[in-house]
Tab-separated table of all heavy atoms in Angstrom:
chain	number	residue	atom	x	y	z
B	23	SER	N	5.341	-0.358	-10.787
B	23	SER	CA	5.135	-0.865	-9.427
B	23	SER	C	3.874	-1.722	-9.397
B	23	SER	O	2.814	-1.333	-9.885
B	23	SER	CB	5.020	0.293	-8.443
B	23	SER	OG	4.767	-0.181	-7.142
B	24	HIS	N	3.979	-2.904	-8.813
B	24	HIS	CA	2.868	-3.858	-8.784
B	24	HIS	C	1.835	-3.453	-7.733
B	24	HIS	O	2.177	-2.848	-6.701
B	24	HIS	CB	3.408	-5.256	-8.470
B	24	HIS	CG	2.461	-6.358	-8.819
B	24	HIS	ND1	1.534	-6.836	-7.928
B	24	HIS	CD2	2.293	-7.066	-9.972
B	24	HIS	CE1	0.831	-7.803	-8.502
B	24	HIS	NE2	1.272	-7.972	-9.743
B	25	HIS	N	0.565	-3.782	-7.995
B	25	HIS	CA	-0.482	-3.462	-7.016
B	25	HIS	C	-0.317	-4.275	-5.735
B	25	HIS	O	-0.908	-3.948	-4.693
B	25	HIS	CB	-1.864	-3.730	-7.624
B	25	HIS	CG	-2.199	-5.183	-7.774
B	25	HIS	ND1	-2.807	-5.922	-6.777
B	25	HIS	CD2	-2.008	-6.050	-8.805
B	25	HIS	CE1	-2.976	-7.164	-7.174
B	25	HIS	NE2	-2.501	-7.279	-8.408
B	26	GLY	N	0.502	-5.327	-5.788
B	26	GLY	CA	0.769	-6.102	-4.581
B	26	GLY	C	1.467	-5.291	-3.504
B	26	GLY	O	1.431	-5.667	-2.330
B	27	VAL	N	2.091	-4.168	-3.889
B	27	VAL	CA	2.716	-3.296	-2.892
B	27	VAL	C	1.660	-2.752	-1.935
B	27	VAL	O	1.884	-2.650	-0.720
B	27	VAL	CB	3.482	-2.154	-3.583
B	27	VAL	CG1	4.018	-1.161	-2.564
B	27	VAL	CG2	4.610	-2.706	-4.432
B	28	VAL	N	0.484	-2.421	-2.464
B	28	VAL	CA	-0.586	-1.912	-1.609
B	28	VAL	C	-1.110	-3.014	-0.691
B	28	VAL	O	-1.397	-2.777	0.491
B	28	VAL	CB	-1.720	-1.327	-2.472
B	28	VAL	CG1	-2.818	-0.745	-1.583
B	28	VAL	CG2	-1.195	-0.269	-3.415
B	29	ILE	N	-1.241	-4.222	-1.217
B	29	ILE	CA	-1.667	-5.344	-0.370
B	29	ILE	C	-0.625	-5.624	0.710
B	29	ILE	O	-0.964	-5.931	1.862
B	29	ILE	CB	-1.914	-6.590	-1.241
B	29	ILE	CG1	-3.056	-6.328	-2.215
B	29	ILE	CG2	-2.206	-7.807	-0.374
B	29	ILE	CD1	-3.380	-7.491	-3.123
B	30	PHE	N	0.646	-5.499	0.356
B	30	PHE	CA	1.706	-5.663	1.354
B	30	PHE	C	1.591	-4.580	2.426
B	30	PHE	O	1.825	-4.850	3.618
B	30	PHE	CB	3.065	-5.589	0.659
B	30	PHE	CG	4.239	-5.749	1.570
B	30	PHE	CD1	4.485	-6.944	2.217
B	30	PHE	CD2	5.110	-4.685	1.806
B	30	PHE	CE1	5.566	-7.095	3.067
B	30	PHE	CE2	6.188	-4.826	2.650
B	30	PHE	CZ	6.420	-6.034	3.291
B	31	ALA	N	1.210	-3.373	2.021
B	31	ALA	CA	1.011	-2.306	3.006
B	31	ALA	C	-0.140	-2.647	3.949
B	31	ALA	O	-0.072	-2.360	5.162
B	31	ALA	CB	0.738	-0.988	2.293
B	32	MET	N	-1.195	-3.257	3.438
B	32	MET	CA	-2.299	-3.694	4.306
B	32	MET	C	-1.815	-4.693	5.350
B	32	MET	O	-2.229	-4.634	6.521
B	32	MET	CB	-3.404	-4.323	3.461
B	32	MET	CG	-4.074	-3.393	2.483
B	32	MET	SD	-5.294	-4.285	1.466
B	32	MET	CE	-5.768	-3.020	0.278
B	33	LEU	N	-0.944	-5.615	4.929
B	33	LEU	CA	-0.425	-6.615	5.869
B	33	LEU	C	0.447	-5.966	6.940
B	33	LEU	O	0.374	-6.319	8.124
B	33	LEU	CB	0.366	-7.680	5.112
B	33	LEU	CG	-0.427	-8.540	4.128
B	33	LEU	CD1	0.506	-9.499	3.402
B	33	LEU	CD2	-1.527	-9.307	4.842
B	34	LEU	N	1.278	-5.006	6.539
B	34	LEU	CA	2.138	-4.334	7.508
B	34	LEU	C	1.317	-3.509	8.495
B	34	LEU	O	1.617	-3.480	9.701
B	34	LEU	CB	3.148	-3.447	6.788
B	34	LEU	CG	4.292	-4.166	6.069
B	34	LEU	CD1	5.227	-3.148	5.417
B	34	LEU	CD2	5.073	-5.044	7.027
B	35	VAL	N	0.291	-2.836	8.004
B	35	VAL	CA	-0.588	-2.078	8.894
B	35	VAL	C	-1.270	-3.017	9.885
B	35	VAL	O	-1.420	-2.696	11.070
B	35	VAL	CB	-1.625	-1.287	8.069
B	35	VAL	CG1	-2.710	-0.713	8.972
B	35	VAL	CG2	-0.948	-0.151	7.326
B	36	SER	N	-1.667	-4.198	9.420
B	36	SER	CA	-2.292	-5.178	10.316
B	36	SER	C	-1.316	-5.639	11.393
B	36	SER	O	-1.704	-5.826	12.555
B	36	SER	CB	-2.788	-6.376	9.508
B	36	SER	OG	-3.728	-5.972	8.535
B	37	LEU	N	-0.051	-5.832	11.022
B	37	LEU	CA	0.952	-6.223	12.014
B	37	LEU	C	1.130	-5.146	13.069
B	37	LEU	O	1.165	-5.433	14.280
B	37	LEU	CB	2.284	-6.506	11.316
B	37	LEU	CG	3.479	-6.816	12.231
B	37	LEU	CD1	3.221	-8.065	13.052
B	37	LEU	CD2	4.757	-6.970	11.410
B	38	LEU	N	1.215	-3.895	12.654
B	38	LEU	CA	1.346	-2.794	13.604
B	38	LEU	C	0.090	-2.651	14.458
B	38	LEU	O	0.168	-2.302	15.640
B	38	LEU	CB	1.631	-1.491	12.860
B	38	LEU	CG	2.997	-1.417	12.173
B	38	LEU	CD1	3.110	-0.164	11.307
B	38	LEU	CD2	4.125	-1.443	13.205
B	39	LEU	N	-1.066	-2.946	13.878
B	39	LEU	CA	-2.310	-2.902	14.650
B	39	LEU	C	-2.307	-3.943	15.759
B	39	LEU	O	-2.728	-3.662	16.892
B	39	LEU	CB	-3.491	-3.131	13.706
B	39	LEU	CG	-4.860	-3.326	14.358
B	39	LEU	CD1	-5.269	-2.079	15.138
B	39	LEU	CD2	-5.909	-3.661	13.305
B	40	LEU	N	-1.836	-5.147	15.475
B	40	LEU	CA	-1.765	-6.186	16.493
B	40	LEU	C	-0.828	-5.786	17.627
B	40	LEU	O	-1.115	-6.029	18.805
B	40	LEU	CB	-1.307	-7.500	15.860
B	40	LEU	CG	-2.254	-8.127	14.828
B	40	LEU	CD1	-1.606	-9.366	14.216
B	40	LEU	CD2	-3.592	-8.471	15.455
B	41	ILE	N	0.291	-5.165	17.281
B	41	ILE	CA	1.232	-4.700	18.306
B	41	ILE	C	0.603	-3.598	19.146
B	41	ILE	O	0.719	-3.574	20.375
B	41	ILE	CB	2.537	-4.209	17.645
B	41	ILE	CG1	3.243	-5.364	16.930
B	41	ILE	CG2	3.464	-3.575	18.681
B	41	ILE	CD1	4.453	-4.936	16.125
B	42	GLU	N	-0.082	-2.688	18.476
B	42	GLU	CA	-0.680	-1.567	19.202
B	42	GLU	C	-1.811	-2.016	20.118
B	42	GLU	O	-1.998	-1.463	21.207
B	42	GLU	CB	-1.193	-0.525	18.210
B	42	GLU	CG	-1.732	0.727	18.876
B	42	GLU	CD	-1.913	1.866	17.910
B	42	GLU	OE1	-1.062	2.034	17.017
B	42	GLU	OE2	-2.896	2.609	18.047
B	43	ALA	N	-2.576	-3.005	19.693
B	43	ALA	CA	-3.657	-3.512	20.546
B	43	ALA	C	-3.097	-4.101	21.838
B	43	ALA	O	-3.678	-3.920	22.916
B	43	ALA	CB	-4.472	-4.554	19.790
B	44	ARG	N	-1.971	-4.793	21.736
B	44	ARG	CA	-1.336	-5.340	22.941
B	44	ARG	C	-0.872	-4.206	23.848
B	44	ARG	O	-1.078	-4.255	25.072
B	44	ARG	CB	-0.150	-6.222	22.553
B	44	ARG	CG	0.635	-6.764	23.741
B	44	ARG	CD	1.848	-7.551	23.291
B	44	ARG	NE	2.653	-7.966	24.435
B	44	ARG	CZ	3.584	-7.193	25.006
B	44	ARG	NH1	3.802	-5.967	24.547
B	44	ARG	NH2	4.278	-7.644	26.045
B	45	ARG	N	-0.269	-3.181	23.288
B	45	ARG	CA	0.178	-2.050	24.100
B	45	ARG	C	-1.003	-1.314	24.732
B	45	ARG	O	-0.911	-0.822	25.862
B	45	ARG	CB	0.999	-1.090	23.232
B	45	ARG	CG	2.320	-1.669	22.754
B	45	ARG	CD	3.063	-0.684	21.868
B	45	ARG	NE	4.391	-1.188	21.513
B	45	ARG	CZ	5.272	-0.520	20.782
B	45	ARG	NH1	4.974	0.676	20.305
B	45	ARG	NH2	6.460	-1.054	20.525
B	46	TYR	N	-2.088	-1.255	24.007
B	46	TYR	CA	-3.259	-0.542	24.524
B	46	TYR	C	-3.823	-1.219	25.763
B	46	TYR	O	-4.337	-0.547	26.666
B	46	TYR	CB	-4.326	-0.469	23.430
B	46	TYR	CG	-5.546	0.324	23.836
B	46	TYR	CD1	-5.563	1.714	23.723
B	46	TYR	CD2	-6.668	-0.317	24.351
B	46	TYR	CE1	-6.683	2.439	24.099
B	46	TYR	CE2	-7.784	0.405	24.729
B	46	TYR	CZ	-7.785	1.782	24.597
B	46	TYR	OH	-8.889	2.507	24.974
B	47	ARG	N	-3.736	-2.533	25.841
B	47	ARG	CA	-4.242	-3.230	27.018
B	47	ARG	C	-3.453	-2.838	28.267
B	47	ARG	O	-4.034	-2.676	29.349
B	47	ARG	CB	-4.170	-4.741	26.802
B	47	ARG	CG	-5.041	-5.258	25.682
B	47	ARG	CD	-4.962	-6.772	25.593
B	47	ARG	NE	-5.706	-7.416	26.669
B	47	ARG	CZ	-5.601	-8.693	26.984
B	47	ARG	NH1	-4.738	-9.469	26.325
B	47	ARG	NH2	-6.313	-9.213	27.960
B	48	PHE	N	-2.135	-2.694	28.137
B	48	PHE	CA	-1.333	-2.230	29.267
B	48	PHE	C	-1.680	-0.784	29.615
B	48	PHE	O	-1.835	-0.436	30.786
B	48	PHE	CB	0.160	-2.340	28.929
B	48	PHE	CG	0.700	-3.733	28.991
B	48	PHE	CD1	0.781	-4.511	27.851
B	48	PHE	CD2	1.131	-4.278	30.190
B	48	PHE	CE1	1.281	-5.804	27.892
B	48	PHE	CE2	1.636	-5.568	30.248
B	48	PHE	CZ	1.705	-6.335	29.096
B	49	PHE	N	-1.798	0.045	28.598
B	49	PHE	CA	-2.149	1.448	28.823
B	49	PHE	C	-3.482	1.568	29.540
B	49	PHE	O	-3.644	2.404	30.436
B	49	PHE	CB	-2.190	2.184	27.477
B	49	PHE	CG	-2.917	3.502	27.519
B	49	PHE	CD1	-2.301	4.635	28.022
B	49	PHE	CD2	-4.224	3.603	27.055
B	49	PHE	CE1	-2.971	5.840	28.061
B	49	PHE	CE2	-4.895	4.794	27.089
B	49	PHE	CZ	-4.266	5.926	27.591
B	50	ASP	N	-4.448	0.738	29.191
B	50	ASP	CA	-5.780	0.827	29.770
B	50	ASP	C	-5.776	0.503	31.255
B	50	ASP	O	-6.578	1.060	32.018
B	50	ASP	CB	-6.714	-0.130	29.025
B	50	ASP	CG	-8.162	0.059	29.428
B	50	ASP	OD1	-8.722	1.137	29.153
B	50	ASP	OD2	-8.733	-0.874	30.028
């Protein structure tokens, strides 16, 4: 398994973070 899988996981976590930040503004 290539170490790029971990970097890809960082990108996916960042995408979910952007979505969650938008939801948090409504929640707030």
Side-chain angles (χ1 to χ4, degrees):
S23 178
H24 198 270
H25 72 89
V27 174
V28 182
I29 297 180
F30 180 66
M32 296 176 187
L33 296 177
L34 287 181
V35 169
S36 301
L37 175 61
L38 292 172
L39 171 62
L40 295 176
I41 296 174
E42 185 166 321
R44 176 184 175 275
R45 293 178 175 182
Y46 184 84
R47 296 183 74 194
F48 284 95
F49 163 79
D50 189 65

